[in-house]
Structure formats: structure tokens, C-alpha cells
Amino acid sequence: MVVIVDAPGVQDSNSARGAVEKNLLGEAGGVVIVSAIKRAATEKVAQEMLGERFRRQMLMDGHYAGNLAFVATCTDELTLSELRRNLEIDENVSQLDAARLRNLRTKEKIRADCYAGIQRVQAQAEESKSSDDELRSCVAPTVLTTSARDYQKLCGLLDTKIDGGPRVWTELMDTEVPKFRQWLHAQGQKASLSAIRAGEDKLRTVCQKLQDAGRGAEQGVFNRWAHNARCKVQEALCTSIEKQSAHIQNRLQKVLVGRLKVGQVQAAEAATQTMVPSCQPKGQGGMHHGTFKATAHR
């Protein structure tokens, strides 16, 4: 089970809300930073939304190591002429290609802002600054560009006869909502496994204390009681832990890994279908060579 908690804004100066935020970060299995893509594409969201105190706490709690996600929302909201001008692309580029290019550049920008923010924290702590390559090897923020509205329309959750069809995206995977759901479930699975490991550590501690107490006792009755109690507790907890661990691993294997394989196949097929039209001559619907070169380079 995954529980999502809406935390106070990280730039909130209220000390009480700041304490709530600190406690939530310490308990959270993952952290999601959400912003509309129009803001994320034009401002230093990863730096501004993650204040110095927040970034420092994130580093202390280990969330940068795979437990952090940035989600840029509302990717179906765009004005094509404005987007072409902002991205400096040819007027013949389609709305779909322009939206994909905006998503790509937004992801690059957010990751760069994230690394720059960590380097600022290191500089303030008078630590040696890590290079971008070093940060990429140990810091892995997930960046997603999502469209909840188009996702709901493609899934049939909204009545397209009333609300109209999808505005930009025609494939579910392009909305990146399925990827976000997979990420959330993965965090839940990792939290469950961590809880099991913590339970095993506590069990060892309890058993060791019972064993030590049995060794130091002079009465044979107490020795037998401690031994029997220790064995029963260990047997019961080990059985429970094994069942939970097997259940979680089976779910992870059947659900998450299966979906990831399907997603890889679909992504590979979609990539081929997407690039074929772009490789056509410009007069036949293909991309301008400068735009194609820039997109392929990124």
C-alpha cells in the first residue's frame, strides 16, 4: 500500500509547518516535487522549490539516491506558436513533436538545476564540490512530464463526447502517468522490504538479550523459560517475515518487472514509429535538419 501525503511548501517560513515537513521527510519512503511544466520549463524549479534547508535535509535522509522524483504536469497545455518561438524550432514542426521536445528539454533543465543545488549545499558546507559526472553516478532523480487530463481521456475516465478528445497525446505511455504510477509502487515495495529488514534486526537484538539473560541466570528454571521463549519468538517472527518477503518479491516480479518489460517493448516500437516521419524530407512532413540534429543530439 502506498500512502501519499501533501506536505507544506518547502519555502514556508512558518516554523510549525517547517517542523511537520522535517518529520515527514524523515519518515517518507520517497519524495515527489510537483510543478506545472510551463513554470518548470522557464524557471529554476529544482533550485527554487528545494530551499537550502530542504536540500540539506534531503541529503541527510538519503532521498537523492533514487527516492526523489520531479513531476512537471499539464504537458497537454501549450500554445504551438509560442512553443515554436521559445524552443527556436521550425514552423513546420508539429504540435506533437514540439510537445515532446519541450518535455525533453524540461527534463534536462530540472536535472541540471538539481545538480547545481547540491553543489551549492556542498559549497556552503565547505565541502569539495562534486562534478556533474560524479553526481550522476550517485544522484538519480526521476523526472517525469505528465498529462493527467489526456491520460483520463485515453483511459475512458472522462467522456470525450462531452470533454473532447486528447489535446496532445494519443498514446497512454506518452502521458507518463503509467511511469509515475510504477515509480510510486516501487517506492512502496522498497519501504516494505526496509521494514522487514528492520524487523529482522530487532529480532536479533531481542534474541541476543534473551540469550544473555539465560547465560547469566543461576536458576535452571529461568534458563529453560528464556530458551523456550526465545525459540518461540524467533520461530514466529521468522515465519512471518519469510511469508511477507516472499509475497512482496512475488508481487514485484509479477507486476512491476512485467510492466517494465512491456513498457520497454512499447517504447522501442514507438521510437521507431516516431522517428520515421521525422527522417522524411522537409517537404514531406519531416523535421528541419537543424531541429532533427538538435533533438538527436539531446
Side-chain angles (χ1 to χ4, degrees):
M1 180 178 67
V2 177
V3 178
I4 300 176
V5 180
D6 186 7
V10 298
Q11 299 284 25
D12 200 323
S13 60
N14 184 287
S15 59
R17 288 192 287 267
V20 171
E21 168 205 310
K22 182 177 180 180
N23 291 334
L24 288 174
L25 282 176
E27 299 173 358
V31 176
V32 182
I33 307 298
V34 181
S35 175
I37 192 169
K38 288 185 177 180
R39 180 185 173 199
T42 57
E43 301 178 11
K44 295 182 179 179
V45 172
Q47 292 192 50
E48 293 181 356
M49 294 188 68
L50 299 180
E52 301 298 335
R53 175 172 55 83
F54 186 76
R55 273 195 295 266
R56 194 173 296 109
Q57 186 68 38
M58 291 274 290
L59 285 169
M60 292 173 58
D61 293 333
H63 289 302
Y64 276 108
N67 298 332
L68 173 65
F70 292 92
V71 179
T73 62
C74 305
T75 60
D76 56 285
E77 296 182 4
L78 59 85
T79 303
L80 183 56
S81 60
E82 180 183 359
L83 198 56
R84 286 171 175 167
R85 183 172 60 255
N86 292 339
L87 297 177
E88 297 180 349
I89 56 180
D90 191 88
E91 62 180 10
N92 294 322
V93 175
S94 68
Q95 175 176 270
L96 184 60
D97 288 336
R100 285 173 174 161
L101 182 58
R102 179 176 67 170
N103 286 356
L104 176 64
R105 293 189 180 178
T106 299
K107 291 178 180 180
E108 293 174 345
K109 185 177 187 303
I110 289 177
R111 289 193 181 96
D113 289 347
C114 180
Y115 296 145
I118 296 175
Q119 290 169 339
R120 285 178 54 186
V121 171
Q122 292 175 335
Q124 290 179 354
E126 298 182 352
E127 300 176 358
S128 59
K129 292 174 60 176
S130 302
S131 66
D132 286 352
D133 290 337
E134 291 173 335
L135 288 174
R136 289 189 183 94
S137 65
C138 60
V139 177
T142 297
V143 184
L144 299 169
T145 47
T146 64
S147 169
R149 185 181 292 109
D150 279 2
Y151 172 81
Q152 292 178 80
K153 291 178 178 179
L154 290 170
C155 285
L157 299 175
L158 291 178
D159 190 340
T160 55
K161 294 181 180 179
I162 299 175
D163 303 314
R167 298 180 61 181
V168 175
W169 310 110
T170 57
E171 301 293 337
L172 276 178
M173 294 304 296
D174 286 339
T175 69
E176 297 198 18
V177 173
K179 293 180 183 178
F180 183 39
R181 295 182 62 182
Q182 290 174 359
W183 185 89
L184 288 173
H185 286 294
Q187 303 312 304
Q189 297 288 355
K190 288 193 292 185
S192 297
L193 290 173
S194 297
I196 289 176
R197 295 190 186 100
E200 290 177 338
D201 292 339
K202 291 181 180 179
L203 172 61
R204 293 191 188 95
T205 301
V206 170
C207 291
Q208 186 61 49
K209 289 182 178 179
L210 288 173
Q211 187 175 10
D212 293 343
R215 289 173 179 172
E218 297 180 358
Q219 300 179 3
V221 175
F222 182 79
N223 286 341
R224 289 194 297 273
W225 174 87
H227 175 74
N228 292 335
R230 183 173 67 252
C231 291
K232 290 181 179 180
V233 170
Q234 186 171 4
E235 181 180 359
L237 288 178
C238 284
T239 300
S240 177
I241 289 173
E242 288 176 0
K243 289 182 179 179
Q244 291 297 323
S245 180
H247 174 71
I248 290 173
Q249 290 176 359
N250 287 335
R251 289 285 297 170
L252 186 63
Q253 181 68 26
K254 292 180 180 180
V255 179
L256 183 58
V257 174
R259 290 180 179 176
L260 288 175
K261 289 182 178 179
V262 172
Q264 290 175 348
V265 173
Q266 293 176 344
E269 294 175 352
T272 302
Q273 296 173 1
T274 300
M275 292 305 298
V276 168
S278 300
C279 295
Q280 299 297 321
K282 182 178 176 182
Q284 299 179 17
M287 296 176 64
H288 186 272
H289 73 278
T291 303
F292 182 85
K293 181 178 179 181
T295 303
H297 178 71
R298 289 182 172 85

